[in-house]
Amino acid sequence: MAALAIRDTDVGRVLALSGRLDANTIRDVWRDARRALAESSGRPVVVDAAAVDYCDGAGIALIVDLLRIGRREKRDVEVANLKPAFVALLNQFDVGVLDHDLDPEPKRRPAVEEIGAITAGVWHDIREQVEFVGETVAALGYAVRHPSTVRWRDVWVICERVGADALPIVALISFLLGVILAFQSAIPMKKFGAEIFVADLIGLAMLRELGPLMTAILLAGRSGAAFAAEIGTMKVNQEVDALTTMGLDPVRFLVTTRVIAALLMTPLLTLFADLVSLLGGALTLQSFSIPFITFVHEVEGIVDFSDFMAGFVKSFIFAILIAGIGCLRGLQTSAGASSVGDAATRAVVSGIILLVVVDGVFAVVYFFLDI
Amino acid sequence: MGPAVPSTPPPEAAPGDDAAAAPIIRVEGLTAGYDDFVLLKDVSFDVRPGEVFVILGGSGCGKSTLLKHMIGLYEPMAGHVFIDGDDIVTAEGDARKSILRKIGVMYQSGALFGSMTLLENVRLPLEEYTELDNEAIDLIGRMKLELVGLEQFTGHLPAAISGGMQKRAAIARAMALDPMILFLDEPSAGLDPITSASLDALIRRLAENLGVTFVIVTHELASIFAIADRVIMLDKRKKGIIAEGDPRVLRDTSEDPWVRQFFHREPDAVAA
């Protein structure tokens, strides 16, 4: 155990340390030594280490701390009788260097500067997005003109991950959406004897709006985040740099394949989601004495081809948004594990915001085109 | 818990000198590999307190795998690893934590926590394992970083410094609690010769003055001759140790062609 004895002599105060000085034993000794030094009324202080048996880095830190306080307060503090092995350890440190932090955290910027920096950051991000859209469109155009340059093997693998692997979650959410929508609307409609029109509501709402939107939001959370994390990790591991120095365009290599896969899979998943949600609605309405065939006839009567296409066309645009924003956030990853997490988060957040905004734009356009 | 070897008292004599001293690490009949593939078969050796012990060998011979078994990251197919008398292979809960408290590890990539500054990285084990106050922990952390020449980068994030600096910061973190044993995986790789030599000097100083035991995986011949008290050389064909002893003696007297080839940096013609 470590111990501290305090003696006052004619020439000053002696702090006699003894025993084993390590991180587990010195907590109280350290506190007492600091207090004894503070209470020595400016007299010279000698730290006597003659009885110190063992002194590791924490013990040396205690001695350095006492010397540092002496230096800071312009006091006469010295160490005596420290064993040569420990002196060698003590001599590794410059008390002057440790007296102040050489790398302090930067001060916070004034509010105006902070607002300016954030605005500049947003502007920079918009510019990057526009540039990225241009690069992606150019790469897709090149892929259309030269299909053999597309890495189709990668495309199929990504298709499986984006499409087939997403079927269970898309089925579950769509089915529940159909069930919930049917229940929530059928209960009030029943008061007016109008439960049959629930089929109309589900048919129109799912095919025009909710089917494509919910599928896209699911994919943004699932595949958009995966694209960002995957490409972000490649960026951190310098795999993207390796592609560049090999003369291969990262956009063509990484982005085109993912955008094509998303373009192929998202509309199919949307179709699947539409059908499953209608099935959920139909099953729910059976409990309201509406037979399955009646439900089908009602939906056929209200939903025409333009309603179906209104939702289906959106799914292509949503696919480009999800894949594009996921890849962009991945390519924007800086360094370190946390930045990969940030990239995935930003991919999901900005992906969902863009989906909702674009869906709103579609609603306005369809209104004016009377679709 | 498995069988135990006697616990080692705190070192006082010159480290590594006493060959008869109870080993601080004992590896007994260790067989290790991945799935059905055996990489090391029935490997046994001791590490004495306070010595700088180096694990050598060609690429893919199992050096890093052996190190990871010694620090309890991997479970061996067979065998035991005793750290200061306690078997890390079978230890669980508090017993395992008590063993881990005695060791510090520097990984090949540094493995610093990217969301923390260098000082926060070094402070972490001190905050978790000691009851020292904030100011004391701060001072110890900064001293460790000064030891590896990073006193001007305490507030930097790992991503903002070079790979070599990250490695030095990782060594500072491994030393935070002044462990009895420090495991270093390729500490000199990627460092400039001056930093590498400074690191070698630091290792010798800690071993000689504090009795810290070092287990180091390295390929750097200059480093090996500068710091190693004893080495073992692994070979992937024999799946085990082919040489053990003072590296200077092995270099000058070994008749094993692989050992000679390694220490004399000869190309692979000997293998033909």
Side-chain angles (χ1 to χ4, degrees):
Chain A
M1 283 299 291
L4 172 72
I6 303 164
R7 289 195 310 271
D8 283 318
T9 65
D10 295 340
V11 289
R13 173 165 276 194
V14 177
L15 307 181
L17 295 167
S18 60
R20 184 182 172 89
L21 303 183
D22 64 31
N24 294 323
T25 59
I26 57 168
R27 188 187 64 160
D28 295 340
V29 166
W30 198 322
R31 184 196 58 215
D32 294 345
R34 270 196 205 139
R35 189 182 302 150
L37 186 58
E39 290 170 353
S40 62
S41 319
R43 299 169 66 203
V45 171
V46 175
V47 179
D48 183 1
V52 171
D53 303 323
Y54 179 80
C55 182
D56 68 5
I60 296 293
L62 160 61
I63 295 171
V64 167
D65 189 37
L66 298 176
L67 292 172
R68 187 173 68 155
I69 294 171
R71 180 190 161 92
R72 195 180 295 160
E73 297 176 0
K74 298 189 171 34
R75 305 269 309 277
D76 188 6
V77 177
E78 63 180 68
V79 179
N81 304 322
L82 189 64
K83 287 179 180 155
F86 306 139
V87 170
L89 293 176
L90 182 62
N91 287 343
Q92 294 174 129
F93 301 103
D94 182 345
V95 178
V97 167
L98 291 163
D99 196 27
H100 54 276
D101 194 349
L102 291 174
D103 188 25
E105 282 187 26
K107 287 180 186 164
R108 281 190 68 85
R109 287 184 288 212
V112 175
E113 202 178 322
E114 196 74 39
I115 292 167
I118 292 169
T119 311
V122 170
W123 175 242
H124 180 73
D125 191 42
I126 291 171
R127 276 186 59 180
E128 275 195 343
Q129 288 191 33
V130 171
E131 277 175 25
F132 180 75
V133 168
E135 283 179 39
T136 307
V137 168
L140 281 175
Y142 186 81
V144 170
R145 280 180 278 120
H146 307 89
S148 61
T149 60
V150 176
R151 296 176 60 83
W152 291 106
R153 203 169 51 181
D154 291 353
V155 172
W156 303 135
V157 171
I158 299 166
C159 277
E160 186 186 342
R161 293 212 304 258
V162 173
D165 293 353
L167 280 175
I169 183 74
V170 170
L172 178 71
I173 300 294
S174 309
F175 184 80
L176 287 177
L177 204 62
V179 169
I180 293 164
L181 205 59
F183 255 123
Q184 294 300 325
S185 49
I187 294 167
M189 299 273 250
K190 193 176 181 187
K191 290 179 185 169
F192 306 100
E195 334 51 311
I196 186 66
F197 296 112
V198 171
D200 300 23
L201 185 142
I202 294 172
L204 282 175
M206 291 309 303
L207 266 64
R208 284 185 69 100
E209 279 296 333
L210 293 180
L213 190 63
M214 284 308 296
T215 307
I217 288 175
L218 278 174
L219 287 185
R222 197 178 171 279
S223 304
F227 290 167
E230 193 179 357
I231 296 176
T233 308
M234 291 176 76
K235 188 91 189 291
V236 171
N237 291 340
Q238 294 185 304
E239 291 170 50
V240 175
D241 293 346
L243 280 175
T244 308
T245 50
M246 276 189 261
L248 302 171
D249 178 14
V251 171
R252 182 179 77 78
F253 212 81
L254 300 172
V255 180
T256 311
T257 47
R258 283 166 176 76
V259 172
I260 291 174
L263 268 171
L264 292 174
M265 289 298 111
T266 310
L268 292 179
L269 283 172
T270 303
L271 270 179
F272 178 70
D274 289 347
L275 288 172
V276 173
S277 60
L278 289 177
L279 182 68
L283 287 175
T284 308
L285 287 184
Q286 296 225 328
S287 63
F288 289 86
S289 307
I290 296 174
F292 190 78
I293 191 69
T294 311
F295 179 88
V296 172
H297 284 149
E298 194 63 29
V299 171
E300 274 180 347
I302 193 75
V303 177
D304 59 22
F305 187 68
S306 66
D307 292 320
F308 166 73
M309 284 307 290
F312 195 61
V313 165
K314 277 198 277 192
S315 66
F316 287 95
I317 306 300
F318 289 167
I320 294 171
L321 287 177
I322 295 162
I325 207 76
C327 295
L328 172 67
R329 295 310 185 205
L331 288 170
Q332 285 174 332
T333 306
S334 48
S338 60
S339 62
V340 177
D342 288 344
T345 307
R346 292 173 67 207
V348 175
V349 172
S350 44
I352 290 175
I353 290 172
L354 270 176
L355 286 175
V356 174
V357 169
V358 170
D359 195 49
V361 172
F362 267 111
V364 174
V365 171
Y366 286 167
F367 175 77
F368 283 110
L369 294 178
D370 199 20
I371 297 174
Chain B
M1 293 287 289
V5 293
S7 178
T8 309
E12 286 174 5
D17 284 355
D18 186 3
I24 195 161
I25 303 173
R26 171 165 287 171
V27 176
E28 272 183 11
L30 186 87
T31 299
Y34 302 93
D35 300 324
D36 294 334
F37 177 67
V38 175
L39 192 57
L40 297 167
K41 192 168 169 53
D42 200 21
V43 170
S44 299
F45 62 90
D46 289 344
V47 180
R48 298 167 202 146
E51 76 175 342
V52 178
F53 185 86
V54 173
I55 301 170
L56 306 173
S59 297
C61 70
K63 301 183 296 294
S64 292
T65 302
L66 174 59
L67 191 87
K68 283 170 184 165
H69 280 84
M70 291 173 77
I71 59 179
L73 269 185
Y74 294 167
E75 198 174 324
M77 293 169 165
H80 298 277
V81 176
F82 298 99
I83 304 281
D84 196 28
D86 299 316
D87 189 356
I88 198 167
V89 175
T90 54
E92 288 175 0
D94 286 344
R96 188 179 177 83
K97 215 170 176 182
S98 150
I99 297 172
L100 294 177
R101 170 71 178 78
K102 296 174 185 172
I103 67 173
V105 185
M106 190 222 84
Y107 295 94
Q108 209 166 353
S109 63
L112 295 168
F113 302 116
S115 58
M116 296 180 179
T117 64
L118 300 194
L119 184 58
E120 286 166 346
N121 263 283
V122 181
R123 283 177 56 112
L124 182 67
L126 290 159
E127 287 167 355
E128 293 297 316
Y129 278 100
T130 73
E131 294 178 343
L132 295 171
D133 64 37
N134 200 40
E135 199 181 341
I137 287 176
D138 210 63
L139 177 62
I140 297 173
R142 286 173 51 203
M143 286 170 66
K144 299 300 178 194
L145 286 168
E146 194 197 342
L147 266 185
V148 294
L150 291 175
E151 64 275 9
Q152 293 186 318
F153 298 90
T154 53
H156 280 58
L157 289 171
I161 58 174
S162 72
M165 290 159 85
Q166 286 181 22
K167 206 160 247 190
R168 279 148 60 195
I171 293 172
R173 185 180 65 181
M175 293 192 305
L177 290 166
D178 294 297
M180 297 165 74
I181 309 162
L182 269 170
F183 292 88
L184 310 180
D185 196 357
E186 303 274 9
S188 309
L191 298 185
D192 64 85
I194 297 169
T195 311
S196 182
S198 307
L199 188 61
D200 289 346
L202 174 67
I203 290 169
R204 282 291 356 154
R205 214 161 46 226
L206 290 171
E208 284 161 12
N209 296 327
L210 271 184
V212 176
T213 306
F214 283 88
V215 177
I216 302 172
V217 169
T218 183
H219 285 114
E220 308 283 328
L221 284 175
S223 254
I224 293 164
F225 293 124
I227 60 174
D229 292 313
R230 214 151 53 87
V231 301
I232 55 169
M233 182 177 263
L234 302 178
D235 182 71
K236 63 180 167 189
R237 282 158 288 259
K238 294 195 174 173
K239 298 182 189 295
I241 299 170
I242 56 166
E244 182 172 355
D246 185 318
R248 289 152 288 266
V249 175
L250 289 176
R251 176 192 60 192
D252 298 336
T253 63
S254 177
E255 291 180 1
D256 186 305
W258 295 105
V259 178
R260 291 189 62 79
Q261 186 185 6
F262 186 92
F263 280 116
H264 294 277
R265 298 187 77 232
E266 290 164 2
D268 212 19
V270 179

